[in-house]
Amino acid sequence: MKPEHIRVPALPPLPDQDHSDCRAVASVLARVGDKWSVFVIMMLTDGPKRFNELKRMINGISQRMLTLTLRGLERDGLVTRTVFPTIPPRVDYELTDLGRGLAAPVKALGEWAFAHLPEIEGARSNFDSRNSD
Amino acid sequence: MKPEHIRVPALPPLPDQDHSDCRAVASVLARVGDKWSVFVIMMLTDGPKRFNELKRMINGISQRMLTLTLRGLERDGLVTRTVFPTIPPRVDYELTDLGRGLAAPVKALGEWAFAHLPEIEGARSNFDSRNSD
DNA sequence: CAGTATCCGCGAGGATACTG
DNA sequence: CAGTATCCTCGCGGATACTG
């Protein structure tokens, strides 16, 4: 039996859906929309990185979560893991072609988000003040 | 004090991050990447829908989660909620311009996902069989 | 350095019952 | 019809300690 903390993050069970393309969307968003994957992907867009290098770049991530996130991305074929059998050990993580392909639409979404952040935050505080009674 | 189940889904606390645009990405992905938002947005791309209409279209969603999801989208200015004071009551939900704007990059991501689903699923089963010892 | 191994709290989200 | 009100479960994710 595989211990809990190394088991790759199972994608949440998706609802039975008529439109199977929506399931595909949700399946990818479930991976990419988790707490850390986007950060890792973005950090890897400019070349391969080592484990602790990523850990330092992504402020606040725990070892456990970085391992889990990387395993999940590796499982989906978005990231490769290469071990150099040196002492001390060295492990490089790098985006695959598939991963780089994914990074593009994710980046598009990110640019949309960045461009419309003022509107969204405005709507939020507006909504919150309207409902603060 | 506002009861728990109606309080709009608070976006998860994002890590302190150097690159503030990454926070923006993550902030939107946290909204759009939750379990149901994408389904709701997609269902609303072809015109306004009523509450139970959405509930029927989105197989498996609970009343509670539909309410919460819609409130979250409304809070972010992505969806409007219009109440018709009839008996029985009727409530329409519709994408705002902002929401339609978001739907575009989301759809792009979805199309990428759909196009590369075979590769991803292949990578998954490959990974799983390699690690099934 | 790059992980494993455990323990644990908290909150997302489901099930169910009730209401204007 | 369109929600509220509660209760409860499950698993994400943090903290900490240990290892090849």
Side-chain angles (χ1 to χ4, degrees), chain A residues 35-36 62 64-65 89:
Chain A
K35 195 170 178 181
W36 298 109
S62 63
R64 185 180 123 85
M65 276 303 109

mmCIF file of all heavy atoms in Angstrom, chain A residues 35-36 62 64-65 89, chain D residues 12-15 17 20:
data_model
loop_
_atom_site.group_PDB
_atom_site.id
_atom_site.type_symbol
_atom_site.label_atom_id
_atom_site.label_comp_id
_atom_site.label_asym_id
_atom_site.label_seq_id
_atom_site.Cartn_x
_atom_site.Cartn_y
_atom_site.Cartn_z
ATOM 1 N N LYS A 35 -3.877 24.618 -5.547
ATOM 2 C CA LYS A 35 -3.246 25.756 -4.872
ATOM 3 C C LYS A 35 -1.880 26.136 -5.427
ATOM 4 O O LYS A 35 -1.483 27.296 -5.361
ATOM 5 C CB LYS A 35 -3.130 25.445 -3.368
ATOM 6 C CG LYS A 35 -2.838 26.681 -2.542
ATOM 7 C CD LYS A 35 -2.966 26.388 -1.061
ATOM 8 C CE LYS A 35 -2.636 27.618 -0.236
ATOM 9 N NZ LYS A 35 -2.719 27.369 1.213
ATOM 10 N N TRP A 36 -1.140 25.188 -5.973
ATOM 11 C CA TRP A 36 0.254 25.483 -6.298
ATOM 12 C C TRP A 36 0.684 25.251 -7.734
ATOM 13 O O TRP A 36 1.702 25.786 -8.174
ATOM 14 C CB TRP A 36 1.172 24.658 -5.374
ATOM 15 C CG TRP A 36 0.996 24.979 -3.930
ATOM 16 C CD1 TRP A 36 0.411 24.176 -2.986
ATOM 17 C CD2 TRP A 36 1.385 26.179 -3.246
ATOM 18 N NE1 TRP A 36 0.417 24.804 -1.768
ATOM 19 C CE2 TRP A 36 1.006 26.044 -1.900
ATOM 20 C CE3 TRP A 36 2.003 27.351 -3.659
ATOM 21 C CZ2 TRP A 36 1.242 27.037 -0.958
ATOM 22 C CZ3 TRP A 36 2.234 28.343 -2.717
ATOM 23 C CH2 TRP A 36 1.850 28.176 -1.392
ATOM 24 N N SER A 62 5.125 24.242 1.176
ATOM 25 C CA SER A 62 5.807 23.278 2.034
ATOM 26 C C SER A 62 6.467 22.211 1.163
ATOM 27 O O SER A 62 6.090 22.008 0.014
ATOM 28 C CB SER A 62 4.812 22.629 2.990
ATOM 29 O OG SER A 62 3.845 21.893 2.275
ATOM 30 N N ARG A 64 6.213 19.056 1.398
ATOM 31 C CA ARG A 64 5.197 18.075 1.064
ATOM 32 C C ARG A 64 4.383 18.483 -0.160
ATOM 33 O O ARG A 64 4.196 17.711 -1.104
ATOM 34 C CB ARG A 64 4.277 17.890 2.264
ATOM 35 C CG ARG A 64 3.235 16.823 2.107
ATOM 36 C CD ARG A 64 2.383 16.738 3.366
ATOM 37 N NE ARG A 64 0.993 16.934 3.081
ATOM 38 C CZ ARG A 64 0.192 15.960 2.679
ATOM 39 N NH1 ARG A 64 0.661 14.760 2.534
ATOM 40 N NH2 ARG A 64 -1.062 16.196 2.426
ATOM 41 N N MET A 65 3.909 19.710 -0.146
ATOM 42 C CA MET A 65 3.060 20.193 -1.226
ATOM 43 C C MET A 65 3.838 20.362 -2.526
ATOM 44 O O MET A 65 3.296 20.119 -3.601
ATOM 45 C CB MET A 65 2.391 21.509 -0.832
ATOM 46 C CG MET A 65 1.135 21.316 -0.018
ATOM 47 S SD MET A 65 -0.077 20.267 -0.898
ATOM 48 C CE MET A 65 -0.008 18.770 0.050
ATOM 49 N N PRO A 89 22.530 14.521 -3.940
ATOM 50 C CA PRO A 89 21.674 14.279 -5.107
ATOM 51 C C PRO A 89 21.186 15.577 -5.739
ATOM 52 O O PRO A 89 21.107 16.599 -5.084
ATOM 53 C CB PRO A 89 20.500 13.501 -4.515
ATOM 54 C CG PRO A 89 20.515 13.801 -3.064
ATOM 55 C CD PRO A 89 21.939 14.026 -2.707
ATOM 56 P P DC D 12 -7.051 15.348 -1.505
ATOM 57 O OP1 DC D 12 -7.889 15.039 -2.676
ATOM 58 O OP2 DC D 12 -5.858 14.537 -1.220
ATOM 59 O "O5'" DC D 12 -6.650 16.890 -1.582
ATOM 60 C "C5'" DC D 12 -7.678 17.864 -1.645
ATOM 61 C "C4'" DC D 12 -7.291 19.092 -0.845
ATOM 62 O "O4'" DC D 12 -7.454 18.855 0.574
ATOM 63 C "C3'" DC D 12 -5.847 19.551 -1.048
ATOM 64 O "O3'" DC D 12 -5.873 20.960 -1.211
ATOM 65 C "C2'" DC D 12 -5.140 19.119 0.237
ATOM 66 C "C1'" DC D 12 -6.254 19.197 1.272
ATOM 67 N N1 DC D 12 -6.150 18.248 2.416
ATOM 68 C C2 DC D 12 -6.272 18.734 3.736
ATOM 69 O O2 DC D 12 -6.422 19.956 3.923
ATOM 70 N N3 DC D 12 -6.219 17.851 4.762
ATOM 71 C C4 DC D 12 -6.053 16.557 4.524
ATOM 72 N N4 DC D 12 -6.020 15.737 5.579
ATOM 73 C C5 DC D 12 -5.936 16.050 3.196
ATOM 74 C C6 DC D 12 -5.990 16.916 2.174
ATOM 75 P P DG D 13 -4.571 21.707 -1.829
ATOM 76 O OP1 DG D 13 -5.016 22.991 -2.413
ATOM 77 O OP2 DG D 13 -3.800 20.754 -2.646
ATOM 78 O "O5'" DG D 13 -3.744 22.040 -0.508
ATOM 79 C "C5'" DG D 13 -4.329 22.867 0.479
ATOM 80 C "C4'" DG D 13 -3.551 22.775 1.770
ATOM 81 O "O4'" DG D 13 -3.801 21.504 2.412
ATOM 82 C "C3'" DG D 13 -2.023 22.870 1.620
ATOM 83 O "O3'" DG D 13 -1.568 23.872 2.491
ATOM 84 C "C2'" DG D 13 -1.545 21.481 2.022
ATOM 85 C "C1'" DG D 13 -2.611 21.136 3.054
ATOM 86 N N9 DG D 13 -2.662 19.731 3.432
ATOM 87 C C8 DG D 13 -2.533 18.642 2.605
ATOM 88 N N7 DG D 13 -2.606 17.499 3.240
ATOM 89 C C5 DG D 13 -2.794 17.862 4.570
ATOM 90 C C6 DG D 13 -2.940 17.062 5.715
ATOM 91 O O6 DG D 13 -2.930 15.826 5.803
ATOM 92 N N1 DG D 13 -3.106 17.839 6.867
ATOM 93 C C2 DG D 13 -3.130 19.202 6.903
ATOM 94 N N2 DG D 13 -3.297 19.774 8.098
ATOM 95 N N3 DG D 13 -2.995 19.965 5.820
ATOM 96 C C4 DG D 13 -2.825 19.232 4.696
ATOM 97 P P DG D 14 -0.094 24.457 2.402
ATOM 98 O OP1 DG D 14 -0.211 25.791 1.776
ATOM 99 O OP2 DG D 14 0.804 23.431 1.820
ATOM 100 O "O5'" DG D 14 0.307 24.666 3.933
ATOM 101 C "C5'" DG D 14 -0.603 25.298 4.839
ATOM 102 C "C4'" DG D 14 -0.256 24.911 6.267
ATOM 103 O "O4'" DG D 14 -0.632 23.537 6.507
ATOM 104 C "C3'" DG D 14 1.232 25.021 6.602
ATOM 105 O "O3'" DG D 14 1.417 25.694 7.844
ATOM 106 C "C2'" DG D 14 1.698 23.577 6.675
ATOM 107 C "C1'" DG D 14 0.441 22.833 7.087
ATOM 108 N N9 DG D 14 0.405 21.455 6.585
ATOM 109 C C8 DG D 14 0.439 21.070 5.273
ATOM 110 N N7 DG D 14 0.396 19.777 5.115
ATOM 111 C C5 DG D 14 0.324 19.271 6.401
ATOM 112 C C6 DG D 14 0.249 17.938 6.867
ATOM 113 O O6 DG D 14 0.239 16.898 6.205
ATOM 114 N N1 DG D 14 0.196 17.875 8.261
ATOM 115 C C2 DG D 14 0.216 18.953 9.095
ATOM 116 N N2 DG D 14 0.161 18.700 10.401
ATOM 117 N N3 DG D 14 0.276 20.211 8.671
ATOM 118 C C4 DG D 14 0.330 20.294 7.319
ATOM 119 P P DA D 15 2.934 26.035 8.294
ATOM 120 O OP1 DA D 15 2.869 27.329 9.006
ATOM 121 O OP2 DA D 15 3.846 25.864 7.144
ATOM 122 O "O5'" DA D 15 3.243 24.874 9.339
ATOM 123 C "C5'" DA D 15 2.269 24.494 10.308
ATOM 124 C "C4'" DA D 15 2.908 23.559 11.337
ATOM 125 O "O4'" DA D 15 2.733 22.188 10.905
ATOM 126 C "C3'" DA D 15 4.418 23.758 11.525
ATOM 127 O "O3'" DA D 15 4.724 23.656 12.908
ATOM 128 C "C2'" DA D 15 5.041 22.640 10.701
ATOM 129 C "C1'" DA D 15 3.984 21.551 10.767
ATOM 130 N N9 DA D 15 3.917 20.723 9.552
ATOM 131 C C8 DA D 15 3.980 21.159 8.254
ATOM 132 N N7 DA D 15 3.883 20.201 7.368
ATOM 133 C C5 DA D 15 3.754 19.051 8.134
ATOM 134 C C6 DA D 15 3.602 17.703 7.788
ATOM 135 N N6 DA D 15 3.548 17.258 6.519
ATOM 136 N N1 DA D 15 3.499 16.802 8.790
ATOM 137 C C2 DA D 15 3.536 17.242 10.051
ATOM 138 N N3 DA D 15 3.672 18.493 10.510
ATOM 139 C C4 DA D 15 3.770 19.359 9.477
ATOM 140 P P DA D 17 10.177 19.240 15.609
ATOM 141 O OP1 DA D 17 10.214 19.405 17.067
ATOM 142 O OP2 DA D 17 10.956 20.148 14.741
ATOM 143 O "O5'" DA D 17 10.580 17.746 15.249
ATOM 144 C "C5'" DA D 17 9.646 16.682 15.498
ATOM 145 C "C4'" DA D 17 10.099 15.419 14.766
ATOM 146 O "O4'" DA D 17 9.689 15.511 13.375
ATOM 147 C "C3'" DA D 17 11.632 15.225 14.751
ATOM 148 O "O3'" DA D 17 11.937 13.867 15.083
ATOM 149 C "C2'" DA D 17 12.022 15.557 13.319
ATOM 150 C "C1'" DA D 17 10.779 15.138 12.556
ATOM 151 N N9 DA D 17 10.627 15.807 11.267
ATOM 152 C C8 DA D 17 10.711 17.147 11.006
ATOM 153 N N7 DA D 17 10.545 17.457 9.741
ATOM 154 C C5 DA D 17 10.334 16.234 9.131
ATOM 155 C C6 DA D 17 10.087 15.869 7.801
ATOM 156 N N6 DA D 17 10.019 16.736 6.800
ATOM 157 N N1 DA D 17 9.919 14.551 7.526
ATOM 158 C C2 DA D 17 9.997 13.667 8.536
ATOM 159 N N3 DA D 17 10.218 13.899 9.818
ATOM 160 C C4 DA D 17 10.373 15.211 10.055
ATOM 161 P P DG D 20 18.276 5.455 5.546
ATOM 162 O OP1 DG D 20 17.539 4.293 6.043
ATOM 163 O OP2 DG D 20 19.577 5.836 6.130
ATOM 164 O "O5'" DG D 20 18.444 5.287 3.966
ATOM 165 C "C5'" DG D 20 17.455 5.775 3.055
ATOM 166 C "C4'" DG D 20 18.124 6.223 1.750
ATOM 167 O "O4'" DG D 20 18.293 7.660 1.773
ATOM 168 C "C3'" DG D 20 19.517 5.657 1.497
ATOM 169 O "O3'" DG D 20 19.734 5.588 0.085
ATOM 170 C "C2'" DG D 20 20.418 6.712 2.138
ATOM 171 C "C1'" DG D 20 19.677 7.995 1.783
ATOM 172 N N9 DG D 20 19.842 9.105 2.721
ATOM 173 C C8 DG D 20 20.037 9.066 4.077
ATOM 174 N N7 DG D 20 20.123 10.247 4.631
ATOM 175 C C5 DG D 20 19.973 11.130 3.568
ATOM 176 C C6 DG D 20 19.979 12.542 3.542
ATOM 177 O O6 DG D 20 20.113 13.329 4.481
ATOM 178 N N1 DG D 20 19.799 13.035 2.259
ATOM 179 C C2 DG D 20 19.628 12.254 1.138
ATOM 180 N N2 DG D 20 19.471 12.888 0.004
ATOM 181 N N3 DG D 20 19.620 10.933 1.147
ATOM 182 C C4 DG D 20 19.801 10.439 2.386
#
